[in-house]
Amino acid sequence: MTSKVAYLDCSTGMRGELFLAVLLDAGFPLDMLNSALAFLPIQCYQLKQTSIQRNGVHGSHVAIISSATMQSARSLAEII
């Protein structure tokens, strides 16, 4: 069995949807991602993956679409 290792240099941060797009481009299935996210206590959202090309480079774009008008703020204890 072969394994793959990815190193992320996040010294200046990373946007969540960018990281999701990288995972999907690396071969992680969107269905499996949606199944894993279903365990979180978060509702009213949907992930939309589209293929894009900019300056000759192909990649994915992931949009997190919220169907809720306003989500109430949660405390750190609620998130944990």
Side-chain angles (χ1 to χ4, degrees):
M1 179 176 169
T2 62
S3 62
K4 296 180 182 181
V5 177
Y7 294 96
L8 304 173
D9 182 5
C10 301
S11 57
T12 59
M14 180 182 289
R15 291 181 17 201
E17 63 271 16
L18 271 175
F19 181 66
L20 293 178
V22 168
L23 284 177
L24 296 173
D25 277 346
F28 196 81
L30 182 60
D31 292 338
M32 188 179 282
L33 177 60
N34 281 321
S35 296
L37 292 174
F39 288 101
L40 297 175
I42 302 171
Q43 299 174 358
C44 303
Y45 75 93
Q46 158 184 7
L47 298 179
K48 181 180 177 186
Q49 178 186 14
T50 55
S51 182
I52 60 171
Q53 178 181 352
R54 292 189 183 151
N55 299 323
V57 178
H58 296 270
S60 288
H61 177 265
V62 174
I64 303 169
I65 303 167
S66 173
S67 57
T69 55
M70 182 88 153
Q71 184 175 357
S72 62
R74 296 180 293 160
S75 68
L76 178 59
E78 290 174 314
I79 294 170
I80 292 173

